[in-house]
Amino acid sequence: MNDKIKRIFEEQEKEDAYKISEGFQKAINEEVGNAEYLMKQIERYRLHKISEAFDFSIRENIVRISAEFSIRKHSVCLVPYYHSHDFYEMIYVWQGQCTQKPAGETEDLNLSAGNLCILTPGMAHAILPCSETDVILKIIIPNP
């Protein structure tokens, strides 16, 4: 991996770490379609730890939104949660491994280096944490 790409990925990791800490509410407002409702539910259930997000997300319909094409590395710091999208998401494993948990399925989808999967709008899933050596790219393709 060249130095320029490595620096981009490092910057994305810092941005994502901010989003799950001080920038949590701002990230929800920008990236989730039902943000106002979701923030009320977070307060209602008194979720104080980001680690509670996985169980919480199973009960809620979290829909991520985007009208822009983008490519981001899946960050080590992100906590898994169930969500769907209003866009297509392409997951490409450049290096290492990736585990997807499709909602309602009993088996995980395990991807290895060179594998790719496309998630259609409305497909609920959770992507499990990755390691420092994994390079998993999440490509947002707006709908239509």
Side-chain angles (χ1 to χ4, degrees):
M1 177 180 339
N2 73 33
D3 290 338
K4 182 176 180 179
I5 291 173
K6 188 175 180 179
R7 283 191 304 275
I8 290 169
F9 289 164
E10 288 169 354
E11 187 61 34
Q12 288 178 352
E13 190 76 43
K14 288 177 191 173
E15 289 171 8
D16 288 342
Y18 172 77
K19 285 180 183 179
I20 67 166
S21 58
E22 305 106 67
F24 181 68
Q25 186 163 353
K26 182 177 185 231
I28 294 286
N29 288 331
E30 291 176 356
E31 298 179 16
V32 178
N34 51 350
E36 187 176 325
Y37 167 79
L38 186 60
M39 289 309 295
K40 286 179 184 175
Q41 293 300 91
I42 288 170
E43 288 297 317
R44 178 179 172 210
Y45 288 106
R46 294 189 169 104
L47 300 180
H48 300 292
K49 296 182 221 161
I50 196 72
S51 61
E52 297 168 325
F54 194 75
D55 290 336
F56 173 76
S57 69
I58 292 170
R59 298 187 305 265
E60 298 299 326
N61 180 25
I62 300 172
V63 181
R64 296 200 51 225
I65 58 173
S66 181
E68 296 181 15
F69 178 87
S70 68
I71 299 174
R72 292 187 66 87
K73 179 184 174 289
H74 180 54
S75 299
V76 175
C77 66
L78 291 181
V79 174
Y81 65 97
Y82 280 99
H83 63 284
S84 64
H85 317 110
D86 73 345
F87 51 84
Y88 291 87
E89 182 176 37
M90 186 165 58
I91 307 292
Y92 176 69
V93 182
W94 182 351
Q95 175 180 304
Q97 300 179 57
C98 172
T99 300
Q100 293 282 333
K101 296 187 85 52
E105 297 293 326
T106 56
E107 292 188 32
D108 294 343
L109 175 59
N110 297 304
L111 305 170
S112 300
N115 290 160
L116 171 116
C117 78
I118 298 175
L119 303 167
T120 58
M123 182 180 177
H125 71 107
I127 184 170
L128 295 187
C130 63
S131 75
E132 298 273 342
T133 58
D134 295 327
V135 179
I136 301 159
L137 301 180
K138 301 185 299 185
I139 299 118
I140 291 176
I141 305 166
N143 186 22

